[in-house]
Amino acid sequence: MICMADEILIERIDQIGVIRLNRPDKLNALNMATMERLVNALERFDADGEIRCMLLAGNERAFAAGADINEMADASMVDMYYRNQFARWERIKRVQKPIVAAVSGYALGGGCELMMHCDIIVASETARFGQPEINIGVMPGAGGTQRMARAVGKALAMDVVLTGRFLKAHEALTMGLISRVVPREHFFEEAVRVCRELCEKGPIALRLAKEAVLKAFETPLSEGLEYERKLFYMLFSTQDQKEGMRAFQEKRRAIFTGK
Ligand code: COA
């Protein structure tokens, strides 16, 4: 354990930067202090040469039950505008290394949006997903309408966003919202296992591959294909490409150094 701030717990498991949300009595509701610490921790790990990927988790009962309603209940439009809380979310978008989410229990509102900012989502069978903002007189504001629509398509996104209903883990998996579902007792270790797998890959290839997949949501197909091709060519200037292909030919495991 290298740091224990109130709202988050940070540790390293080998080359994995682990961040756990830690407001259990508030179901990890994302207040501004938590978000600030979380984003700072992600940026620090992203800049840390020893770290190859990040793991973001809550606890068994909740990944995060949304933005902290108590911080917003009395805010005016002007307060919210000046608060500019979504600037922090933009910083998460700029993180280059892969982020694996380990989700159990509630991933609602901002919690679901945070999860959708992650790259691979491992969920426990007990996980529940939703954008219930409609039930408290608002709507998603940290990308929920946009990322949900891109993840699951219009009809299901409308259902989730307009009714505020919760999805069970297998439903979310079938819809394409999450990557894997495992028994509750294994959700964290499975996420660690996925991270360990990522740690074995070429770090530059991992980052560029993440960038290319995300580009698919920003560009028309022809532009995205062009972008992908350029990143692919770029990788031929890395030692990792030579090592990876040579290791294949020599029938041994590649050791990637990120150079
Ligand atoms: N913001 C602030 N506090 C929250 C919260 C949120 N988004 N979600 C849960 N909490 C707090 C509760 O107020 C409660 O605190 P208290 O014990 O001091 O009263 C504590 O977390 C436990 O929640 P509780 O509602 O008692 O648990 P539950 O098991 O009965 O219900 C939920 C769980 C997730 C269904 C319910 O907490 C809920 O609907 N949360 C809000 C979800 C939401 O609308 N998110 C979008 C916000 S924009």
Side-chain angles (χ1 to χ4, degrees):
M1 188 81 44
I2 55 167
C3 161
M4 198 166 147
D6 288 340
E7 296 87 355
I8 60 169
L9 303 175
I10 301 173
E11 67 178 307
R12 288 161 186 262
I13 303 178
D14 302 322
Q15 293 173 301
I16 308 165
V18 180
I19 304 167
R20 297 181 208 234
L21 300 168
N22 185 41
R23 298 185 75 207
D25 51 335
K26 297 291 175 190
L27 303 183
N28 290 333
L30 301 165
N31 61 4
M32 286 183 279
T34 305
M35 283 305 295
E36 184 60 24
R37 290 204 155 107
L38 166 63
V39 174
N40 286 338
L42 283 171
E43 287 178 340
R44 272 200 306 274
F45 280 140
D46 206 33
D48 185 326
E50 299 291 308
I51 294 293
R52 294 216 172 169
C53 66
M54 281 76 95
L55 193 166
L56 178 57
N59 53 44
E60 250 183 49
R61 189 169 169 219
F63 178 71
D68 193 318
I69 297 168
N70 299 323
E71 276 187 349
M72 298 186 289
D74 296 323
S76 67
M77 190 279 252
V78 173
D79 295 333
M80 292 301 283
Y81 181 74
Y82 282 127
R83 197 178 280 180
N84 194 19
Q85 65 198 46
F86 300 119
R88 290 192 191 89
W89 295 76
E90 287 296 314
R91 287 162 58 196
I92 303 178
K93 217 179 111 183
R94 287 195 290 272
V95 169
Q96 291 182 306
K97 291 175 189 169
I99 309 173
V100 175
V103 181
S104 176
Y106 296 111
L108 304 175
C112 191
E113 289 167 311
L114 179 61
M115 179 197 89
M116 288 192 282
H117 277 70
C118 298
D119 303 306
I120 299 178
I121 301 160
V122 177
S124 129
E125 281 168 343
T126 61
R128 295 290 177 272
F129 309 90
Q131 296 291 158
E133 292 91 339
I134 202 78
N135 295 329
I136 54 169
V138 287
M139 58 177 279
T145 62
Q146 303 304 296
R147 289 198 173 86
M148 183 67 72
R150 280 165 173 76
V152 308
K154 177 191 160 189
L156 288 166
M158 284 291 190
D159 187 356
V160 170
V161 171
L162 301 190
T163 71
R165 80 177 169 100
F166 296 172
L167 303 169
K168 292 186 174 168
H170 282 288
E171 198 178 1
L173 182 68
T174 308
M175 289 162 87
L177 182 63
I178 59 176
S179 315
R180 313 176 180 200
V181 176
V182 295
R184 179 187 47 78
E185 57 274 25
H186 298 313
F187 83 98
F188 188 79
E189 76 184 44
E190 174 68 6
V192 171
R193 208 185 58 72
V194 172
C195 286
R196 286 197 192 286
E197 236 182 274
L198 300 185
C199 289
E200 301 283 301
K201 316 291 183 200
I204 305 175
L206 263 187
R207 286 185 224 191
L208 295 186
K210 165 173 172 164
E211 188 181 327
V213 173
L214 290 176
K215 202 73 174 172
F217 298 101
E218 308 274 358
T219 58
L221 180 61
S222 54
E223 222 173 279
L225 290 171
E226 186 98 350
Y227 196 79
E228 178 192 84
R229 204 164 303 149
K230 292 199 169 118
L231 297 186
F232 176 77
Y233 290 145
M234 254 175 76
L235 286 169
F236 282 75
S237 64
T238 65
Q239 292 173 18
D240 282 348
Q241 174 267 327
K242 299 288 171 292
E243 163 64 9
M245 294 194 179
R246 212 160 280 143
F248 173 80
Q249 291 171 328
E250 293 168 4
K251 303 191 189 303
R252 61 173 173 84
R253 202 169 67 84
I255 308 287
F256 295 114
T257 56
K259 293 195 176 130

